[in-house]
Amino acid sequence: MTRTETPIRDIAADRPAPVVSVKPVVLPAPGPGKDPRGEDLRVRVSAPATGDALPVIVFSHGFGSSLEGYGPLTDHWAARGFVVIQPTHLDSRTVGLPEDDPRTPRIWRFRVEDLKRVLDHLDAVEAAVPGLAGRLDRDRVAAAGHSFGGQTAGNLLGLRVLDPVTGEGEDLSDPRVKAGVLLATAGRGGADLTPFAAEHYPFMNPTFTHMTTPALVVMGDRDDLPLTVRGPDWTADPYHLSPGGKSLLTVFGAEHSLGGIPGYEARETTDESPERLAVVQRLTTAYLRHALGIDDSGWAAACRDLLDVDDPLGRVESR
């Protein structure tokens, strides 16, 4: 069988494909001008070695991470038929941006532009990976992110960051993005933030009212972040406060790392659990295949299987 005879719909969730990964792929950033990024954008591209009409996931890492992170999740997606593109944002520890750098107050906005730059340069992404050219399905694109990256990806879905002075938020949504996965993502700002967070992170003031793109929100019921006064339910706000067409996966016993998605043996993982990680892997994969119109039955089956045990590791609700 030739490569072109293996469409994405035939790559089953339980039969992972070999993966090709290339890093760094360098996408030039704009030069001097208004609010220049000042650094070329470096991304990692992971793709199945076989298959055609491959859907795309652009993934935004959490604060301080890089294209090197999130292998337990991005490797899983790539092995099950997705082309996963991971940019390194300016807040990455690998960039080493000083706190007093003039770009720091707009880090959140540069992050959103990074994701859009990836989508603007899919031709270059294809060309950088041997054998990938012509195999992307550009009508099936998803945005995903963890923590700070969840807010970044959410902007492409319709989330708006409200200016703390004017109360207005710019529409940064992208019609190329058809679905999203927001993992352990911040909720409302204002009085829901701790005084420290309100002072130092003014961009943590989102509204979900316009976030109309379908999305799966993933939260851990023990994700007690020091940025909010509310507790773990704060991270469910992107589900409860956005328009319909959303699903919420609550992972029981999970903290901010959701069982270990930031990396294999990563130091920031405080709740390492292969079982919880497997729940996040399987449910996010099934949801993306469902939301992008690849396979409807797998999502329903994954939701049923989650509860069809004596001691469930999570639950799914939708609206």
Side-chain angles (χ1 to χ4, degrees), residues 30-37:
K34 182 180 179 182
D35 298 325
R37 189 180 195 275

Side-chain angles (χ1 to χ4, degrees), residues 255-280:
E255 299 177 11
H256 198 57
S257 298
L258 298 171
I261 67 171
Y264 303 105
E265 300 180 352
R267 66 182 181 181
E268 57 261 53
T269 298
T270 60
D271 60 337
E272 185 173 0
S273 166
E275 294 79 15
R276 294 188 191 100
L277 174 60
V279 166
V280 176

Side-chain angles (χ1 to χ4, degrees), residues 118-164:
V118 167
L119 298 180
D120 290 342
H121 293 86
L122 286 180
D123 286 344
V125 169
E126 278 190 328
V129 181
L132 185 59
R135 296 171 56 207
L136 300 187
D137 185 344
R138 301 186 186 211
D139 293 325
R140 287 188 168 117
V141 175
H146 175 241
S147 193
F148 194 3
Q151 177 171 302
T152 303
N155 277 272
L156 273 62
L157 309 181
L159 177 156
R160 298 184 184 182
V161 174
L162 298 178
D163 185 285

Side-chain angles (χ1 to χ4, degrees), residues 214-290:
L216 172 65
V217 177
V218 184
M219 67 165 288
D221 67 357
R222 294 187 183 176
D223 186 5
D224 199 1
L225 287 167
L227 301 172
T228 179
V229 298
R230 280 179 45 198
D233 72 299
W234 184 57
T235 60
D237 281 357
Y239 170 74
H240 292 295
L241 302 181
S242 63
K246 305 293 187 301
S247 294
L248 174 67
L249 167 62
T250 302
V251 185
F252 300 154
E255 299 177 11
H256 198 57
S257 298
L258 298 171
I261 67 171
Y264 303 105
E265 300 180 352
R267 66 182 181 181
E268 57 261 53
T269 298
T270 60
D271 60 337
E272 185 173 0
S273 166
E275 294 79 15
R276 294 188 191 100
L277 174 60
V279 166
V280 176
Q281 289 172 326
R282 183 179 182 199
L283 269 292
T284 55
T285 302
Y287 176 81
L288 287 167
R289 290 172 62 85
H290 160 72

Side-chain angles (χ1 to χ4, degrees), residues 37 58-66 70 87-93 97 103-115 143-157 159-162 172 181-187 193 197 200-206 208 211 218 223 225-227 234-235 238 256-258 261-262 268:
R37 189 180 195 275
V58 57
F59 182 83
S60 180
H61 63 70
F63 182 83
S65 189
S66 71
Y70 295 93
T88 291
H89 299 302
L90 286 176
D91 57 88
S92 171
R93 291 184 291 270
L97 209 67
R103 291 167 288 181
T104 299
R106 288 178 55 80
I107 283 288
W108 74 270
R109 180 62 181 270
F110 284 118
R111 281 173 147 264
V112 178
E113 292 170 0
D114 288 346
L115 300 191
H146 175 241
S147 193
F148 194 3
Q151 177 171 302
T152 303
N155 277 272
L156 273 62
L157 309 181
L159 177 156
R160 298 184 184 182
V161 174
L162 298 178
L172 298 174
V181 174
L182 310 184
L183 301 128
T185 302
L193 298 178
H200 291 88
Y201 308 122
F203 56 82
M204 293 182 66
N205 193 28
F208 306 100
M211 198 174 79
V218 184
D223 186 5
L225 287 167
L227 301 172
W234 184 57
T235 60
H256 198 57
S257 298
L258 298 171
I261 67 171
E268 57 261 53

